Amino acid sequence: MTTAADIMNPGAQWIPATETLDRAAQVMRELDVGALPVSDENERMCGILTDRDIVVGCVAAGHDPAQVTAAELCKGTPRWISSDASVDEVLQQMESHQIRRLPVIDGNKRLVGMITEADLARSLTDDQLAQFVERVYA
């Protein structure tokens, strides 16, 4: 059985909820990613911050990214998946919540990776990928 750990991009990094958006954007650039999980003071995920969140929710709204924190843009209930979850569980989670990035957590509740659409494209059959795209973007 293929698991989340098999298809994830390892080495995902948290940013603290108190981090400013300008620093978050720098970390995204350094890691060449478009999203970062956000952790609270207890190192529990409290959301995900995307490059689009920074542009639309901060810059385009006329706010200074050096003055706005990641916590201010995190909305909704954070979603993640266990590293030993099956690919079917990954797809179900991403499809049912219409999300394109899914953090992967190990048995000790540590962030160990991230699953993105690109990871799915490399791992799924053409039919599975077509169904995923239809359900997430519908």
Side-chain angles (χ1 to χ4, degrees), residues 2 9 19 35 39 43 45 59 64 76 89 105 116 131:
T2 303
N9 192 335
E19 191 67 77
S39 68
E43 293 193 9
M45 190 169 73
V59 176
D64 179 359
E89 292 173 279
I105 307 295
T116 67
Q131 286 178 354

Side-chain angles (χ1 to χ4, degrees), residues 2-135:
T2 303
T3 66
D6 297 325
I7 65 170
M8 73 180 188
N9 192 335
Q13 254 183 262
W14 300 103
I15 59 164
T18 56
E19 191 67 77
T20 59
L21 299 184
D22 62 339
R23 181 63 190 134
Q26 292 167 0
V27 171
M28 287 181 191
R29 182 187 64 218
E30 291 164 9
L31 298 175
D32 193 27
V33 297
L36 292 169
V38 178
S39 68
D40 64 16
E41 64 278 354
N42 299 316
E43 293 193 9
R44 293 181 50 116
M45 190 169 73
C46 59
I48 293 182
L49 180 67
T50 68
D51 48 7
R52 185 175 193 281
D53 293 334
I54 295 170
V55 171
V56 175
C58 178
V59 176
H63 303 293
D64 179 359
Q67 301 299 316
V68 179
T69 65
E72 293 176 66
L73 288 188
C74 290
K75 298 179 182 103
T77 303
R79 303 289 171 191
W80 64 88
I81 195 110
S82 170
S83 59
D84 61 1
S86 71
V87 171
D88 288 338
E89 292 173 279
V90 169
L91 290 173
Q92 188 278 327
Q93 186 76 238
M94 293 175 83
E95 290 170 1
S96 66
H97 299 288
Q98 293 189 313
I99 54 177
R100 294 176 264 177
R101 297 170 179 104
L102 187 62
V104 180
I105 307 295
D106 71 7
N108 295 322
K109 304 287 188 212
R110 291 179 309 141
L111 178 69
V112 293
M114 182 83 77
I115 296 174
T116 67
E117 293 169 303
D119 299 317
L120 295 178
R122 286 189 294 273
S123 303
L124 301 178
T125 67
D126 289 345
D127 288 341
Q128 286 175 309
L129 190 57
Q131 286 178 354
F132 169 77
V133 168
E134 181 179 323
R135 291 179 182 148

